[in-house]
Amino acid sequence: MASRLASRAVSYLKIQVTHRGFASVVKDLKYANSHEWVKVDGNSATVGITDHAQDHLGDVVYVELPEVGVAVKQGEGFGAVESVKATSDVYSPVSGKVVEVNEELNSSPGLVNSSPYEKGWIIKVDINDSGELKNLMDSDKYTKFCEEEDAH
Amino acid sequence: MTHCVVASIPAHPICSHQPRPPRSLYRIIPSESDRISVVKSLQSSSATTHESRRECECECFNLYKELVPYRQAWSWQKKIVKQKKALIERDEDCPDSLFVLQHPPVYTMGTGSSEKFLNFDLKDAPFDVHRTERGGEVTYHGPGQIVMYPIMNLRNHQMDLHWYLRSLEEVIIRALSKTFSIKASRLEGLTGVWHGNQKLAAIGIRVSRWIAYHGLAVNVTTDLTPFRWIVPCGLQNYQVGSIRGLLGEFESVADSRRKQLPDPDDGQLLDIACKSLINEFSEVFQVRINYETISRLEFLEREPLSPLKEEAM
């Protein structure tokens, strides 16, 4: 997946974050309003949290992964991410069955910070309802959503 | 008073940021009296006074004189979180809640907590051990320690965890300063409230849909011995302190010409600390505290709660 992203001319949209710099948003991914991204390939989906989310969390020290085989539902929590003494729920943007979890995050939870869209992926899901994808945002909408949320 | 400064504390300002500064416009400004004022800034203007902001309501269950079993308090929190999520989903107003209490002796571990920080076998633990869903490593709760569980709808405040943690620290720092003249501080990268290398208060939270729960624990008159059976918060080279311990230290280096006032007893220290913490909480978060009686909690008890994953060891 990483090489596919690298070989295409991926355009990164920038969301203005006050004080700091910009959080990146990747085109062709879909986004939930709880700041998870999903990359869909047929019935297969890869899920992680966005650059905007990892930036707000700070250094991730622990990722709570679900077990392979569990069911996930769009909008429902499937795991958690811990940083700076705060553990936050992570929500699934799709419904289906978890077929793989990123075990590397057990020893290197910081991958969520350094590579939120690639090495820091969290789970892979076999989707059972691709119709639900229309409930998600595309990169433009997500960028706007983040800007509005940051202005709050 | 004795004031041991650890090298990593910046001289000024006292509040240090995480490597990634929070994106909100929360700023620390030293006031004339060299205290820290935390002000919430608006996007485009400088600090605003809190009179211009509508105060949020916060119901407070003040059980500070009681030793509430950990499981009970945990269950109350989860029920209230569930209630709040439902309110948010219906787009209704969702005020904040606050528990203030003590626990009987118990160890709690956070989500990523490691058993290597326990100096005992789990099968032969001196007290109950609960693995919870909050962040942070192992800590001890027990009599003499004031525990606060704010259940905050961060949408009412700032949707920024760094801001929230720094604000919780601010509550404690102000209370210690105003009420006990203890100049406590933050340590870079180590959430909590410190005096030198003694940790006086621990913080660990969980956030779900921007509702934060779990919270903070301040050692007032706590017997600190049970901390020796763990590596508190996973920090090897630090100590744990208490307000009573520090006041005792200050007393021993006090000017002999000073008139000796009678020491407050433990009960009085707890009373004073509790009042001060609630007061500072109200100030820092700009909420109006409404005391609720336990009958409101009993109403919660009657509502069925679907079994949540919890492990007690």
Side-chain angles (χ1 to χ4, degrees):
Chain A
M1 179 186 71
S3 57
R4 274 175 64 199
L5 277 175
S7 62
R8 280 160 36 170
V10 178
S11 58
Y12 285 84
L13 304 174
K14 302 295 189 185
I15 308 165
Q16 171 121 29
V17 175
T18 46
H19 288 170
R20 292 184 53 259
F22 297 92
S24 59
V25 178
V26 176
K27 259 187 173 326
D28 304 329
L29 302 183
K30 291 235 168 265
Y31 298 86
N33 63 7
S34 41
H35 302 286
E36 293 85 14
W37 57 265
V38 59
K39 183 168 172 62
V40 182
D41 200 352
N43 274 345
S44 216
T46 309
V47 175
I49 65 170
T50 65
D51 190 23
H52 184 267
Q54 69 77 21
D55 176 59
H56 281 215
L57 284 170
D59 292 337
V60 173
V61 300
Y62 177 74
V63 180
E64 191 175 83
L65 296 166
E67 300 212 347
V68 172
V70 303
V72 289
K73 219 164 158 275
Q74 188 181 64
E76 289 192 0
F78 70 83
V81 165
E82 183 182 342
S83 66
V84 296
K85 304 295 183 98
T87 300
S88 309
D89 285 355
V90 190
Y91 303 92
S92 183
V94 291
S95 303
K97 193 169 82 164
V98 176
V99 295
E100 204 183 329
V101 302
N102 189 352
E103 304 271 5
E104 265 220 79
L105 295 178
N106 288 326
S107 49
S108 307
L111 288 173
V112 171
N113 298 113
S114 56
S115 183
Y117 297 111
E118 295 172 41
K119 296 203 181 106
W121 66 272
I122 305 178
I123 58 172
K124 293 200 171 153
V125 178
D126 265 355
I127 307 181
N128 61 18
D129 184 0
S130 45
E132 282 179 335
L133 292 172
K134 65 179 186 318
N135 300 332
L136 301 173
M137 293 179 266
D138 64 16
S139 48
D140 287 332
K141 278 213 186 83
Y142 178 64
T143 306
K144 215 159 164 258
F145 173 76
C146 289
E147 281 165 0
E148 281 165 12
E149 209 180 60
D150 279 350
H152 162 88
Chain B
M1 61 174 83
T2 54
H3 186 67
C4 135
V5 178
V6 176
S8 61
I9 303 175
H12 209 58
I14 293 180
C15 171
S16 354
H17 290 286
Q18 302 287 336
R20 296 160 205 274
R23 51 119 182 123
S24 69
L25 293 179
Y26 153 78
R27 307 186 278 131
I28 308 298
I29 46 177
S31 64
E32 333 68 73
S33 56
D34 202 25
R35 294 220 183 106
I36 306 296
S37 300
V38 173
V39 289
K40 293 189 218 182
S41 313
L42 293 175
Q43 183 77 8
S44 55
S45 65
S46 55
T48 190
T49 58
H50 69 83
E51 287 88 55
S52 62
R53 288 181 66 109
R54 192 179 61 84
E55 267 196 334
C56 292
E57 302 288 324
C58 178
E59 63 178 0
C60 176
F61 302 99
N62 192 358
L63 305 165
Y64 85 96
K65 289 197 193 208
E66 307 202 18
L67 297 181
V68 179
Y70 190 80
R71 271 198 177 283
Q72 174 71 90
W74 195 10
S75 163
W76 283 335
Q77 286 189 77
K78 286 187 282 200
K79 284 181 183 166
I80 289 192
V81 169
K82 191 171 176 216
Q83 266 193 348
K84 290 193 191 302
K85 281 184 181 176
L87 286 171
I88 288 175
E89 215 145 297
R90 297 197 298 262
D91 222 5
E92 289 178 34
D93 262 354
C94 174
D96 304 313
S97 304
L98 172 66
F99 286 94
V100 185
L101 45 85
Q102 296 181 64
H103 284 308
V106 68
Y107 292 112
T108 66
M109 299 171 74
T111 39
S113 252
S114 170
E115 286 173 23
K116 72 182 188 216
F117 295 128
L118 305 178
N119 296 335
F120 51 79
D121 193 341
L122 267 173
K123 295 186 215 75
D124 197 21
F127 307 115
D128 280 352
V129 183
H130 293 275
R131 190 177 273 279
T132 74
E133 71 271 297
R134 60 149 173 89
E137 288 283 350
V138 64
T139 195
Y140 165 78
H141 298 302
Q145 184 192 80
I146 289 182
V147 175
M148 293 173 93
Y149 294 129
I151 304 172
M152 303 296 273
N153 175 8
L154 293 180
R155 285 177 175 78
N156 290 341
H157 304 277
Q158 303 260 2
M159 290 158 79
D160 182 330
L161 298 186
H162 297 278
W163 171 83
Y164 182 56
L165 289 166
R166 303 290 82 79
S167 300
L168 288 178
E169 288 165 349
E170 188 65 18
V171 170
I172 303 165
I173 289 172
R174 288 189 190 187
L176 291 175
S177 169
K178 285 185 194 170
T179 307
F180 301 103
S181 296
I182 293 174
K183 212 167 187 181
S185 56
R186 297 173 176 87
L187 284 188
E188 174 111 36
L190 300 178
T191 302
V193 175
W194 301 81
H195 188 267
N197 74 340
Q198 282 189 55
K199 193 167 189 180
L200 302 176
I203 296 175
I205 63 171
R206 174 73 178 214
V207 185
S208 190
R209 300 232 180 261
W210 292 112
I211 298 172
Y213 59 114
H214 288 277
L216 61 91
V218 183
N219 296 321
V220 184
T221 60
T222 328
D223 171 8
L224 302 178
T225 319
F227 282 104
R228 295 200 212 131
W229 304 330
I230 54 173
V231 180
C233 310
L235 299 171
Q236 296 277 6
N237 300 320
Y238 294 89
Q239 293 175 1
V240 179
S242 71
I243 293 175
R244 183 182 58 190
L246 278 182
L247 293 178
E249 277 179 37
F250 301 160
E251 192 60 36
S252 65
V253 297
D255 186 349
S256 57
R257 286 170 298 169
R258 248 183 49 204
K259 183 174 170 195
Q260 288 287 30
L261 296 166
D263 289 336
D265 63 32
D266 283 3
Q268 285 175 314
L269 277 179
L270 278 170
D271 288 341
I272 295 167
C274 174
K275 279 197 183 69
S276 183
L277 285 165
I278 295 178
N279 195 49
E280 296 308 328
F281 180 89
S282 161
E283 292 270 332
V284 169
F285 289 102
Q286 295 171 25
V287 292
R288 182 161 49 239
I289 302 282
N290 300 319
Y291 290 98
E292 285 284 349
T293 62
I294 206 159
S295 53
R296 154 107 165 93
L297 287 174
E298 282 161 4
F299 170 72
L300 270 181
E301 289 284 81
R302 287 197 280 275
E303 290 175 34
L305 177 67
S306 57
L308 289 173
K309 200 169 59 168
E310 39 180 270
E311 296 168 42
M313 302 166 200

